[in-house]
Amino acid sequence: MREDCDHLHEECGVFGVWSSGQDATRLVYFGLKALQHRGQESAGIAAADGDSIMMRKGLGLVDQVISQGDVAALAGKAAIGHVRYATSGARDWQCAQPHLSNFGDATIALAHNGTLVNADDVREDLVRQGVRFRSDSDSEAAASLIGLRAGDLHSVREAIRYMMRNLEGGYAIVLLCEDALYAFRDPHGIRPLVLGSLGKPEDGTWVVSSETCALDAIGADFVREVYPGEVVCVSSEGPSSEQGVPALAEARCIFEHVYFSRPDSVECGGTMYGMRFSMGRNLAREAPVETDLVIGVPDSGLPPAEGYAAELGIRYGEGFIKNRYVARTFIEPTQGMRELSVRMKLNALRDSVRNKRIVMVDDSIVRGTTMRQLVRMQRDAGAREVHVRIMCPEVRWPCFYGIDTDTQDQLISARYSPEEIRSFIGADSLAFLSLPGLLRCVPAGGYCTACYTGHYPVRVPPRQCEGHFLEGSHPRFPET
Ligand code: SF4
């Protein structure tokens, strides 16, 4: 986790369009804007016009990186795009995606959401084979592996299968060649990826996206998820599908439902908003408290706060005003600057909370420093009591599959009891939703819950684990 923030962050969002008639690049541009919440550090689009692949990428928000002139210049029948929040790899231009890789005279472009846990081993192997890397990103290792094997095997499809057999972790990838668009997902389905279509399917415009909210943004219909281990290919012959590697025990990232995905994104017919509302209801059943007002910490704490209030029949209201125009700032990682950063984004609404006993609902507590500041803000604004409720269990374990919790010592719940954390943040009471309570709110299926339980669905090489766990803690990984 970054020194300059106190929140878990998604690594990336991906989007791709194959179109027989529409300007795919323009659609990808709008799709990326709808996925901007998944990454604000870099953005990029690669487009294929039938002969070659062109690309524009850089550091910043989608609008800062890609101008309307770029969209016009990149116009193509197929395109992929990426927004990034760096966790693996540095924060420089070379890590911005898509990554290009050549094989023979051909080029592929690859955009990746997730983390490949054994990328370092694969990279070292490729370096021994003479491959030169421009960045330290795991996504470039995947692009290079596919490019190299596609040259050897004379088949991109075979090369993708080879990559899926040899790279492990959480991934949702879109890949563009001059003559086809591919979308594939890790065999546990850790990172999300959905398939949509625009217009009638026979019109031939197919879309892949990290979330359904971006399908809505361009007017596309949701068709289905890309299945764990599946490779979807769209070309002038239409869409086709095959199992790249056998699907393994399903392990969707449950944090997508708690926080990462946009509230209007849909899974199994239900919105993330509805699931978060239910989390608030369950939290109220598990940890009720008599108060005058329920508030949420914007934005992710708002739906569970509404659910909490509805369940207990307490008034729900606004307790913070959010400044929506504060872009991400790369500030000095001192505590003072972190506090200033929180103040720039949120301010307590005095009229709403003065002289009231309030419940404040949020999605998670990571370091605890931001929550302490938010509690203090509410007290300074006149709240008589501040009770904190968290819509998921305590985050105690680092994530290796695409979320930026690097080391366990950064997580306050890994070191302290709930009572100690309550005292640290200065709340009158503190409670977390239980894991069964959380699982009751999401669609039936298998979930990765490793950041709460320490039971990891994918083996992580010992060198990647080094220094990530506190002494005496016992994470559990699969045997093979
Ligand atoms: S460890 Fe947590 S954040 Fe990471 S994939 Fe699993 S549920 Fe998601």
Side-chain angles (χ1 to χ4, degrees), residues 8 190-191 252-256 260 397-403 448-452 456-457:
L8 300 189
I190 296 174
R191 301 262 68 90
R252 298 159 186 267
C253 170
I254 201 157
F255 235 95
E256 289 284 346
F260 300 136
W397 300 87
C399 175
F400 296 92
Y401 313 130
I403 307 305
C448 174
T449 57
C451 48
Y452 309 128
Y456 291 87

Side-chain angles (χ1 to χ4, degrees), residues 167-183:
L167 275 167
E168 296 175 335
Y171 57 85
I173 293 179
V174 290
L175 183 147
L176 183 67
C177 312
E178 279 95 351
D179 59 356
L181 171 75
Y182 294 89

